[in-house]
């Protein structure tokens, strides 16, 4: 596989994964949209992070 | 002759070339950010932009954590490591007061553990073979370097495999995470951090003082350090958590494995935790780390569109060992509670003791990894 073909395959795979997962996941309820900035919002982040053991 | 002709073209015309090539990428990225703002959340759109900024900074400055360590050990050239120390100092100076002031913000607190010791060493070793850490793999994949693009799915698979075994690794021995900001406040944590960074610089000076003199401050590394510190701080303020890379990779692997019916999240200690189970269920576009990872790829692609990038041709054996290293990087970074970004940059700049433990262990692994790299001829003589 040439470098260009590999690059095209890489981006196609990534785009397909994002689109597939977004399509199969439950619909996003925009009423629960978090504030733009977590700092000062009074709401803890619920995101996962690699430093956290669980 | 062609080169002469290119040089003879007006500067404006030469500058227009990369700009024209980058425009479609910029438009696509802007469209994706607009979609996120409209359909997911404005916060995720902002985080995508932050990720793109990280990608532009990493790829534009070729800010490679792996390369910086390698040039320090092999060539006794400290410029990359000095750039990394400047990044850590600037991001600490911004992040620690924020953490002390805003209770919503979380530090990257990993537990000192057997898992961390093994994981950091193996990660430091394999990142030299794969020629890229977590962020390095991302930005080089975005630049179109074939090995790193091929490694990325294996990194995700390895990171996912790490989540499956993490409970057993933690059972071998782990302490509670130690946060310097919680213990000493922002001022105390900063003082301890700056003292540690000064110690690192002193070690670099001792190692390089007999080498031919090079300037310690390099414009490229400094520009990268400042830009990365700004975007890492923005990540903390917007997301409420520090910059990370590896969690997103593990999540991608878990999503694919679940959809393929090869994995039951309920039977996994890691993925049955309420927070992780919820993230696994929801759209990947809602995940903080995933969206900044995609941003980094996009930022690097934007840089690549305006400049020539070529990966050196590798032999079959080099490909095989490089891909195996990629899988191990994913596995070990999960065990180590982060890579150079999640453990080193985010750990140290948010005052986590585990970041300070990670660095010497990963550096010891790097020294071994450089020998393996030489053994398999990754460095042309």
């Amino acid at each position: 596989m040439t470098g260009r073909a590999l690059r095209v395959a890489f981006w196609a795979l990534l785009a397909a994964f994002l689109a597939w997962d977004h399509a199969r996941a439950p619909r996003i309820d925009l009423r629960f949209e978090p504030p733009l900035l977590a700092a000062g919002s009074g709401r803890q982040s619920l995101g996962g992070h690699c430093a956290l053991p669980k | 002759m062609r080169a002469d002709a290119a040089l003879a073209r007006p500067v404006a015309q030469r500058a227009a070339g990369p700009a024209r090539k980058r425009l479609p990428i910029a438009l696509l990225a802007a469209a994706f950010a607009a979609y996120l703002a409209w359909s997911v959340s404005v916060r995720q759109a902002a985080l995508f932009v932050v990720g793109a900024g990280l990608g532009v900074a990493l790829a534009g400055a070729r800010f490679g954590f792996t390369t910086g360590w390698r040039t320090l050990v092999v060539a006794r050239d400290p410029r990359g490591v000095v750039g990394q120390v400047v990044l850590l100092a600037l991001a600490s100076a911004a992040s620690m007061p924020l953490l002390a002031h805003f209770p919503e913000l979380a530090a990257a607190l990993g537990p000192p553990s057997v898992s961390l010791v093994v994981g950091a060493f193996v990660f430091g070793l394999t990142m030299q073979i794969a020629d890229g850490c977590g962020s390095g793999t991302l930005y080089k994949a975005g630049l179109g370097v074939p090995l790193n693009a091929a490694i990325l799915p294996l990194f995700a698979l390895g990171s996912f495999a790490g989540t499956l075994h993490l409970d057993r690794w933690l059972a071998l021995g782990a302490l509670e995470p130690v946060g310097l900001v919680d213990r000493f406040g922002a001022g105390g944590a900063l003082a301890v951090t700056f003292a540690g960074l000064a110690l690192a610089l002193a070690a670099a000076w001792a190692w390089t003082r007999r080498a031919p003199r090079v300037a310690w401050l390099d414009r490229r590394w400094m520009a990268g350090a400042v830009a990365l510190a700004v975007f890492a701080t923005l990540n903390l303020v917007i997301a409420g958590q520090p910059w990370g890379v590896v969690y997103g990779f593990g999540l991608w692997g878990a999503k694919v494995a679940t959809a393929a019916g090869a994995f039951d999240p309920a039977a996994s200690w890691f993925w049955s935790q309420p927070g992780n189970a919820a993230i696994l269920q929801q759209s990947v576009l809602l995940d903080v780390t995933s969206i900044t990872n995609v941003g980094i790829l996009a930022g690097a692609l934007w840089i690549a569109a305006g400049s020539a990038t070529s990966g050196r041709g590798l032999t079959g054996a080099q490909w095989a060992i490089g891909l195996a290293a990629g899988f191990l990087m994913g596995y070990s970074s999960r065990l180590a509670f982060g890579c150079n970004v999640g453990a080193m940059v985010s750990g140290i700049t948010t005052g986590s003791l585990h970041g300070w433990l990670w660095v010497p262990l990963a550096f010891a692994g790097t020294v071994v990894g450089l020998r393996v790299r030489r053994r398999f001829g990754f460095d042309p003589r």
Side-chain angles (χ1 to χ4, degrees):
Chain A
M1 190 181 265
T2 65
R4 184 179 167 78
L6 186 70
R7 281 193 287 274
V8 170
F10 173 81
W11 281 99
L13 197 68
L14 179 69
F17 168 70
L18 296 177
W20 161 78
D21 183 76
H22 188 56
R24 62 166 269 288
R27 196 180 167 82
I28 295 169
D29 192 338
L30 296 176
R31 287 175 300 176
F32 297 113
E33 182 176 336
L36 171 61
L37 303 181
S41 70
R43 288 163 65 175
Q44 290 274 347
S45 169
L46 299 174
H49 193 275
C50 41
L52 303 178
K54 56 187 179 184
Chain B
M1 186 72 183
R2 282 173 65 183
D4 292 345
L7 286 172
R9 278 187 288 148
V11 173
Q13 197 180 333
R14 269 184 278 147
R20 203 179 316 122
K21 285 179 187 169
R22 283 172 174 162
L23 184 62
I25 309 293
L27 291 175
L28 270 175
F32 185 60
Y35 176 78
L36 288 173
W38 184 258
S39 306
V40 180
S41 75
V42 177
R43 181 189 287 191
Q44 290 299 93
L47 285 171
F48 172 72
V49 174
V50 166
L54 289 165
V56 169
L58 286 163
R62 297 293 195 274
F63 198 99
F65 295 99
T66 307
T67 312
W69 288 18
R70 186 160 67 235
T71 54
L72 177 72
V73 175
V74 175
R76 297 187 188 239
D77 177 348
R79 287 175 292 182
V81 166
V82 172
Q84 292 173 35
V85 168
V86 170
L87 159 61
L88 294 174
L90 292 175
S92 299
S95 300
M96 288 178 177
L98 286 168
L99 282 164
H101 190 261
F102 293 106
E104 305 88 357
L105 305 187
L109 298 177
S113 54
V114 173
S115 168
L116 169 65
V117 171
V118 175
F121 180 84
V122 174
F123 185 84
L125 192 161
T126 48
M127 78 176 190
Q128 289 299 339
I129 300 167
D131 196 19
C133 53
S135 59
T137 300
L138 270 175
Y139 93 71
K140 286 181 180 174
L143 283 175
V145 178
L147 179 64
N148 299 96
I151 276 176
L152 208 141
L154 289 165
F155 197 131
L157 191 64
S159 189
F160 167 60
T163 64
L164 301 182
H165 302 154
L166 190 58
D167 54 337
R168 276 172 267 175
W169 280 100
L170 283 169
L172 295 176
L175 302 173
E176 284 298 311
V178 177
L180 299 180
V181 177
D182 289 341
R183 292 216 170 192
F184 308 121
L190 264 178
V192 172
T193 302
F194 285 163
L197 294 176
L199 206 63
L201 283 180
W205 176 81
W207 173 248
T208 58
R209 70 194 161 114
R210 286 187 190 160
R213 286 182 70 86
V214 291
W216 273 51
L217 300 179
D218 178 87
R219 184 180 294 185
R220 175 174 68 88
W221 283 101
M222 289 302 119
V226 172
L228 289 174
V230 168
F231 285 115
T233 307
L234 282 173
N235 191 107
L236 177 66
V237 170
I238 295 170
Q241 64 183 60
W243 178 22
V245 169
V246 172
Y247 184 87
F249 288 158
L251 177 67
W252 298 359
K255 280 176 173 289
V256 171
T258 307
F263 166 61
D264 175 15
S268 157
W269 175 82
F270 186 87
W271 292 107
S272 61
Q273 303 290 337
N276 293 328
I279 292 169
L280 186 56
Q281 284 286 321
Q282 69 192 19
S283 167
V284 70
L285 300 183
L286 280 167
D287 176 50
V288 168
T289 313
S290 295
I291 219 67
T292 46
N293 283 354
V294 174
I296 290 172
L297 286 166
L301 181 67
W302 184 82
I303 289 288
S307 57
T309 306
S310 61
R312 197 165 48 85
L314 299 176
T315 65
Q318 286 172 332
W319 267 101
I321 194 170
L323 294 176
F327 176 84
L328 283 172
M329 276 207 303
Y331 189 86
S332 58
S333 57
R334 183 58 272 182
L335 263 52
F337 304 103
C339 57
N340 295 61
V341 170
M344 187 178 89
V345 174
S346 294
I348 287 176
T349 61
T350 62
S352 175
L353 177 64
H354 100 287
W356 284 108
L357 299 173
W358 189 95
V359 171
L361 293 162
F363 199 83
T366 271
V367 172
V368 179
L370 289 172
R371 284 176 165 266
V372 179
R373 200 178 153 77
R374 209 161 38 239
R375 165 75 180 78
F376 286 92
F378 279 96
D379 293 317
R381 289 176 191 280

